[in-house]
Amino acid sequence: MSTEPAAGTPQNPYRVCAPADILSLIPHTLGFEPRNSLVLLALCGNRLDATLRLDLPPARGLKPGTSAAYALNACRFMASDPRADGVLLAMYTDEPWIQPAHAPYRSLIRRMAKEFGAAGIPLQDGWLVGPDTWRNYFCVRPHCCPWPGTPRQQIADSMLNTELVYRGSAYASSLENAVGESFPPPWGNHEQVAEAQERFTALVGGQWNGKAQFRGTLLLWAKATETDGAGSGSADPGSADPGLAGSGDPAPAGGSAPAVATRLREDPELAGFLLASLQDRSVRDTLLVLGAAGAQAALAGAEANGLTSRQAQPPVFPAPALPSEPLHSEPLPSEPLRGTRARGTLAPVPFAGQDTGRAEGRPTAAADFRNILVGTSPTVPDWNMLDRTYAVFRDLVPVAAGDPKAALLCLLAWIEWARGRGSRSDVFLQHALDESPGYRLALLLRELLGTGVLPDWARSRAGSWPGEPG
């Protein structure tokens, strides 16, 4: 699902004069040319508002129960906007339309029209975009809508498309290309990063879940996603795609994500350390909660779920990268060894206080942690922070290889799923499996996507990802 501001909103005050304008706006809004898709646009008076893209189900053997569930999910999302008073649709399909009175997916669209009408947001018009032509989906009068339709070139030649291109807007030719084109350029210092990764892998020796090591590693990831002078905290809430899928990549408020990524590229020691830590499943999975809810929630949840253990050796970090602000917890082993920055450093973590064991909030922290991972948390993710986390993961992809690269691609896939963009998530997972065949997390996330389940927060406009700010 994708719920981004579309034409006519204060963010994008474009004038839409004809159906070709609407159809030309859709790929600019999504970031790619949709295929095998149903795109729904909310109407708010004389304005276009939220945009929702869904993968079309297989046309052959489409069962009534499948159509009903599909229509209901789409209706719930569109009706969650109290300002909406109508819906437009655009269907992108290669299914043949041979007889004017028998449009592709006719029973599905009838069911959707029924659901929308009952919800007070009637389906007011729609179009089918085929391989070569497009035409009105509901009108079959030859004097009004000649058969078989209008050449698709008319969409590209529309006034609105011309204006958007003039303003610098562009989109990818497919979802797969949109994902591929989203990765940043290679790192010039990749050999230094690889050397640091290998060294930290050997120094930590698989002991990433020792409490001091785990906490310090988590804090370094948190710091890597911060903007200069900003903490890792507050978000500007504010769009969503169901295994089903999405829109263009976000540009978090203030343009902070590129600055975060650039800073990390200038520190190959830290980058190598972070890549090395991705080989530990507990660290890897906790990073998702870190991005969605912050360091304290991630640490408390990880400890409550038994993902950490007693620190058996001095923790290892790339000094002087570790910041001074403490998260709570136990004292560290005394007299930790120290090395040089060039060879990796064994240094203490600046956490103070005593671990209280089974703290009062531990059961709640454990449940909150798990609920975020499976998308059932009643709390909406901190989208600004999660967007910055996404930018760091994405920027590390070109310098990673093997399991760490597969881990990054899976983390990106989860964030896309959290945003409600299941189809884009699936593309990332395929990249992960291409990099590391049989990678377990990629297979598990694919099973999750296969259920068609969306995170609870992605089912309404209020909680869903705000998308690209205006």
Side-chain angles (χ1 to χ4, degrees):
M1 247 179 251
S2 168
T3 58
E4 297 188 65
T9 65
Q11 294 91 337
N12 296 302
Y14 304 120
R15 184 176 179 82
V16 177
C17 301
D21 288 333
I22 296 173
L23 296 176
S24 71
L25 176 67
I26 288 172
H28 288 279
T29 301
L30 298 178
F32 61 91
E33 183 76 45
R35 297 176 182 173
N36 192 40
S37 302
L38 185 68
V39 178
L40 302 173
L41 302 99
L43 287 171
C44 299
N46 61 353
R47 295 187 300 109
L48 289 173
D49 201 65
T51 304
L52 173 68
R53 192 197 76 83
L54 307 95
D55 290 340
L56 282 168
R60 305 293 187 272
L62 185 58
K63 298 179 180 179
T66 302
S67 295
Y70 187 98
L72 184 60
N73 285 336
C75 181
R76 283 175 176 168
F77 191 90
M78 301 302 286
S80 67
D81 183 357
R83 301 169 299 173
D85 53 22
V87 177
L88 300 175
L89 73 80
M91 180 185 295
Y92 295 79
T93 180
D94 293 342
E95 286 293 319
W97 190 351
I98 300 172
Q99 301 180 36
H102 297 283
Y105 294 96
R106 184 172 61 166
S107 62
L108 174 63
I109 299 305
R110 283 178 174 174
R111 184 61 187 245
M112 296 187 77
K114 180 180 178 180
E115 294 288 352
F116 289 141
I121 48 172
L123 184 56
Q124 297 190 5
D125 210 346
W127 304 271
L128 184 143
V129 182
D132 304 308
T133 61
W134 66 275
R135 62 173 292 107
N136 190 284
Y137 186 86
F138 301 104
C139 178
V140 294
R141 297 188 298 271
H143 66 279
C144 176
C145 301
W147 190 262
T150 304
R152 286 189 63 165
Q153 184 60 35
Q154 188 188 81
I155 299 173
D157 294 340
S158 71
M159 291 295 293
L160 180 55
N161 190 61
T162 302
E163 179 183 356
L164 290 168
V165 172
Y166 177 77
R167 293 190 182 196
S169 178
Y171 53 86
S173 60
S174 68
L175 172 60
E176 292 74 16
N177 287 341
V179 171
E181 293 168 9
S182 71
F183 293 118
W187 292 39
N189 55 357
H190 62 91
E191 292 182 355
Q192 293 173 271
V193 175
E195 187 275 331
Q197 177 187 336
E198 182 178 359
R199 176 162 28 88
F200 283 117
T201 298
L203 285 170
V204 178
Q207 300 299 313
W208 293 97
N209 63 346
K211 285 191 175 182
Q213 183 70 56
F214 189 91
R215 293 173 187 140
T217 300
L218 200 65
L219 190 53
L220 284 178
W221 273 104
K223 284 306 212 181
T225 64
E226 286 184 5
T227 57
D228 292 331
S232 62
S234 60
D236 275 339
S239 210
D241 166 304
L244 313 174
S247 58
D249 294 316
S256 60
V260 168
T262 299
R263 189 172 68 240
L264 186 58
R265 283 181 175 236
E266 296 170 353
D267 192 342
E269 283 284 296
L270 178 58
F273 176 85
L274 298 180
L275 288 175
S277 73
L278 290 171
Q279 297 170 93
D280 183 82
R281 289 178 295 177
S282 296
V283 172
R284 178 199 66 193
D285 297 350
T286 302
L287 293 180
L288 298 174
V289 181
L290 173 70
Q296 293 289 357
L299 176 61
E303 292 188 343
N305 280 289
L307 300 185
T308 61
S309 62
R310 179 180 173 275
Q311 187 69 41
Q313 65 181 36
V316 181
F317 303 106
L322 199 66
S324 59
E325 299 91 327
L327 295 174
H328 67 285
S329 231
E330 66 183 16
L332 303 175
S334 59
E335 298 300 326
L337 300 175
R338 291 181 179 272
T340 65
R341 182 171 176 76
R343 297 190 56 79
T345 301
L346 300 174
V349 188
F351 299 134
Q354 182 69 37
D355 186 10
T356 58
R358 301 188 63 83
E360 183 178 344
R362 185 172 289 257
T364 300
D368 289 346
F369 184 97
R370 295 191 300 268
N371 288 339
I372 289 172
L373 291 178
V374 298
T376 58
S377 172
T379 304
V380 174
D382 183 331
W383 291 118
N384 193 37
M385 184 163 58
L386 196 55
D387 283 347
R388 294 199 306 270
T389 303
Y390 183 97
V392 170
F393 292 161
R394 185 175 57 185
D395 197 53
L396 283 168
V397 168
V399 78
D403 282 358
K405 184 173 183 177
L408 288 167
L409 292 164
C410 287
L411 296 175
L412 290 168
W414 184 91
I415 295 176
E416 291 290 12
W417 174 75
R419 291 169 169 176
R421 309 199 302 180
S423 292
R424 194 177 289 246
S425 175
D426 190 61
V427 175
F428 277 111
L429 293 178
Q430 185 57 57
H431 280 293
L433 291 170
D434 290 343
E435 179 67 26
S436 184
Y439 192 69
R440 182 62 177 159
L441 181 58
L443 296 176
L444 290 173
L445 288 174
R446 273 217 159 152
E447 288 183 19
L448 176 63
L449 290 179
T451 66
V453 172
L454 281 175
D456 287 352
W457 56 74
R459 297 176 186 272
S460 70
R461 277 200 77 198
S464 62
W465 178 59
E468 188 173 4

